[in-house]
Amino acid sequence: RALCPKDDTSVRAVLSISEKHSVVFIVERGSVVFSSSIEVGSRDFDKAVAKIFGVTEEAARVLKHQKASQETEGDAKLFEAILTVSSTIRDELSKVLAYWKSQGKKEREFVDVSEVVLLGSDSMRPGFSQYISSISKLPTRIGSVWTNTQSPEVSLPSLHKIDSLSYAAVIGA
């Protein structure tokens, strides 16, 4: 409810990356109609980055969220580190989208998925949105958990956007 405008009739795929796992779910007319869990999450990204760079998981957490790196080699190493975890997420997202397309036509008045909405702080990692968009062949955006709570132009709570992405379920309740 926090992500989709009221009276929304579209179908969206939502990819939520949590600390220990991730979830892909399909939202139709503002309600979740299908979901699938993935056994990888933020902690797996941290472990992969820590291993490649030889740093602690805490240092890896900071490193993976940096907006721009000074070294091109560092960017390539970061991409290499997260590729295995990202490919697991990619595979599950692809399965969910294929299922929706094949089964949705049989079960209901079919409406195709219009976009992928990303949740969780790891979704704000540079290049991740573009990666998901290229593999899903759908527009991809970072979710705004404030969609149905208040107008951001009027007043935003003192919660940074990257942190707000971890609270979508609570804010939408």
Side-chain angles (χ1 to χ4, degrees):
R1 286 187 273 177
L3 298 172
C4 302
K6 291 178 180 161
D7 302 324
D8 183 33
T9 60
S10 64
V11 175
R12 291 178 170 85
V14 178
L15 170 58
S16 178
I17 302 172
S18 298
E19 186 177 350
K20 297 179 183 177
H21 71 283
S22 300
V23 179
V24 177
F25 51 96
I26 301 293
V27 177
E28 181 178 35
R29 295 184 180 107
S31 297
V32 174
V33 294
F34 181 80
S35 69
S36 178
S37 292
I38 309 167
E39 294 296 320
V40 298
S42 294
R43 197 177 283 174
D44 298 292
F45 283 114
D46 296 343
K47 287 178 185 177
V49 171
K51 183 177 179 181
I52 290 287
F53 284 92
V55 297
T56 65
E57 286 183 34
E58 181 63 35
R61 200 170 298 118
V62 172
L63 180 63
K64 74 178 182 181
H65 287 294
Q66 289 177 337
K67 293 291 182 197
S69 174
Q70 300 296 345
E71 313 171 35
T72 307
E73 181 182 323
D75 290 343
K77 283 175 69 176
L78 184 61
F79 180 76
E80 176 188 337
I82 63 173
L83 190 58
T84 302
V85 178
S86 296
S87 65
T88 302
I89 291 171
R90 173 203 67 209
D91 293 347
E92 192 62 28
L93 176 62
S94 296
K95 285 184 211 175
V96 168
L97 293 173
Y99 171 81
W100 180 257
K101 196 165 221 143
S102 66
Q103 297 302 309
K105 290 179 181 177
K106 296 176 186 175
E107 297 176 5
R108 64 184 64 79
E109 183 180 316
F110 180 73
V111 177
D112 208 353
V113 173
S114 63
E115 68 178 348
V116 177
V117 180
L118 302 175
L119 290 177
S121 59
D122 275 311
S123 67
M124 300 230 4
R125 204 176 51 251
F128 189 71
S129 179
Q130 293 87 347
Y131 173 74
I132 295 298
S133 184
S134 70
I135 59 109
S136 67
K137 296 178 179 46
L138 291 168
T140 302
R141 68 177 173 87
I142 304 297
S144 173
V145 298
W146 308 116
T147 300
N148 292 315
T149 58
Q150 60 188 357
S151 170
E153 293 80 27
V154 175
S155 170
L156 266 179
S158 60
L159 184 61
H160 194 274
K161 180 163 178 98
I162 197 166
D163 296 325
S164 74
L165 295 174
S166 297
Y167 294 98
V170 174
I171 293 169

